[in-house]
Amino acid sequence: MPRSERSSLLLAGLLATAGVAHFASPEQFDATIPRALPGTPRAWTYASGAVELALAAGIAVPRTRRTAALAAAAFFVGVFPANVQMALDWRDRPAPQKAAALGRLPLQIPLVLWARSVAKNNGEGQS
């Protein structure tokens, strides 16, 4: 299997796993939803999980991979405020939890770059 295909499927797997987790254990995600957003945290949690599952499916299919990977890059940028909210909310938690919340912030950068790389390596016309 070519490296670009493996990378694409790994990204799809990561997104699928995260999407399933949003439905299997929504409480942990509800707490990260910025309070300024309209609606309920649970609605945002489920919407985010559904988007992650859709992105995973799109990345898994070579014909839609480029578009889905670009959308995933935008999604990773879009959920950054939830990660910031989590870091703020968890600043009084024990050190390991606080470190985990803060550690998530710089991880968005490689996720965005990974998704962009998948898009670049799976340009239009590839199958």
Side-chain angles (χ1 to χ4, degrees):
M1 176 183 303
R3 183 176 181 199
S4 64
E5 178 76 8
R6 190 170 39 250
S7 180
S8 298
L9 295 178
L10 285 171
L11 180 59
L14 173 80
L15 284 160
T17 300
V20 168
H22 278 73
F23 290 96
S25 184
E27 300 81 18
Q28 71 182 21
F29 297 97
D30 291 348
T32 69
I33 304 300
R35 292 178 290 280
L37 291 175
T40 66
R42 183 61 50 92
W44 285 99
T45 294
Y46 286 155
S48 178
V51 168
E52 286 170 324
L53 291 171
L55 290 170
I59 290 170
V61 176
R63 196 179 71 185
T64 57
R65 184 170 293 151
R66 182 177 186 279
T67 300
L70 290 173
F75 177 79
F76 292 139
V77 170
V79 299
F80 186 73
N83 291 338
V84 170
Q85 183 68 52
M86 181 179 182
L88 290 171
D89 290 346
W90 286 25
R91 63 183 167 230
D92 295 327
R93 295 221 179 167
Q97 290 178 336
K98 188 179 349 180
L102 289 171
R104 289 176 60 139
L105 298 177
L107 287 178
Q108 294 303 117
I109 295 168
L111 287 173
V112 170
L113 295 176
W114 184 10
R116 289 184 62 209
S117 173
V118 166
K120 180 181 175 188
N121 291 325
N122 292 277
E124 298 295 335
Q126 290 187 2
S127 54

